[in-house]
Amino acid sequence: MMNRLGRRQLLRMTLAAPMSAAALVLARQSRAAELAPPAGKPILEITGKIRVFNDGEAARFDRAMLEALGMTSFQTGTPWYTGPVTFEGVRMTTLLASVGAFGERAVVVALNDYTTEIPIADFQEFDVLLALKRDGAYMPVRDKGPLFIVYPYDSRPELRQQKYYSRSAWQVAKIIVK
C-alpha cells in the first residue's frame, strides 16, 4: 500500500530524478494513493512509471472508473470518418495524473497488438483525449472502441499530419509509461 506523498517528499522526488516539463506537471497533479479496484470488466491497464496501483504493479480501469475521472469533449474532423465528429472522454493528462505517472512517453498497445509511442508532452500541449464515445454513443470494438486516443486535429494545422494520426491509437487496451 502506498501512503500519500507530502509536498516535501514529492519535491525531493522531483528534484532527485530528471523529468520533462510535462512529467513534472503530471507528478505535481498526482495524488499517490491506492486506486480502487474495478467493479466491472477492466478495459484499460496502465503500467510502467506510475505511483498508484490497484492490481500488483498495474492500474486497471473499468468504464465507470474512467468516466468518474471527468469527461470532456471536442469536435474535430478525422481521416477515419466523414465530416466532423464529437469525441467524449477523459483528458490524457487527467488519466495519467490519476495513476501518478512520471515518465516521458507512453507506449500504447491496442487489442490487435498495434503499438504506438506518444510523448507525454503531447497530452498537455494538445489536450489529447482518451475517447470512450463518438457522437454520443460508446464506441464498440468493431468501430475503434472501446477506447480511442484522439487529438483535436482541427484545433491546430500541425495536427493534421501522419505523425499525429499514427499516434491516435484505437482499440486501446494498455498504456505503458516509460
Side-chain angles (χ1 to χ4, degrees):
M1 298 227 183
M2 298 190 76
N3 298 327
R4 291 193 179 273
L5 292 176
R7 285 186 180 170
R8 285 186 191 166
Q9 195 175 9
L10 184 56
L11 182 59
R12 275 191 296 249
M13 289 171 51
T14 301
L15 295 174
M19 291 183 159
S20 69
L24 181 57
V25 168
L26 292 174
R28 285 182 181 153
Q29 291 174 347
S30 72
R31 291 169 294 192
E34 189 169 318
L35 186 65
K41 180 182 176 186
I43 59 173
L44 177 66
E45 176 184 274
I46 303 175
T47 60
K49 292 184 175 183
I50 62 174
R51 294 184 178 99
V52 181
F53 314 94
N54 64 4
D55 186 6
E57 293 188 10
R60 295 184 197 280
F61 291 84
D62 62 19
R63 182 184 292 166
M65 292 170 71
L66 292 170
E67 290 178 337
L69 293 174
M71 300 280 280
T72 190
S73 65
F74 57 69
Q75 187 177 64
T76 190
T78 77
W80 307 288
Y81 298 105
T82 303
V85 177
T86 300
F87 290 101
E88 185 177 355
V90 178
R91 284 185 172 96
M92 286 298 296
T93 53
T94 301
L95 176 63
L96 293 182
S98 78
V99 296
F102 58 95
E104 293 185 13
R105 56 194 199 286
V107 175
V108 179
V109 182
L111 292 172
N112 65 359
D113 293 326
Y114 172 81
T115 302
T116 188
E117 191 169 304
I118 306 170
I120 288 178
D122 274 16
F123 302 148
Q124 185 73 31
E125 183 177 353
F126 302 118
D127 207 18
V128 177
L129 281 186
L130 179 65
L132 289 91
K133 294 180 178 182
R134 180 178 56 85
D135 292 332
Y138 291 108
M139 294 179 292
V141 171
R142 71 180 180 281
D143 189 17
K144 300 183 178 35
L147 304 171
F148 187 177
I149 292 181
V150 185
Y151 287 72
Y153 309 106
D154 292 345
S155 68
R156 293 168 66 172
E158 69 262 33
L159 292 177
R160 291 187 295 270
Q161 58 181 299
Q162 187 58 39
K163 173 181 174 179
Y164 296 103
Y165 296 147
S166 69
R167 293 177 182 173
S168 299
W170 55 76
Q171 296 180 336
V172 173
K174 185 173 186 174
I175 299 171
I176 306 159
V177 180
K178 294 190 171 210

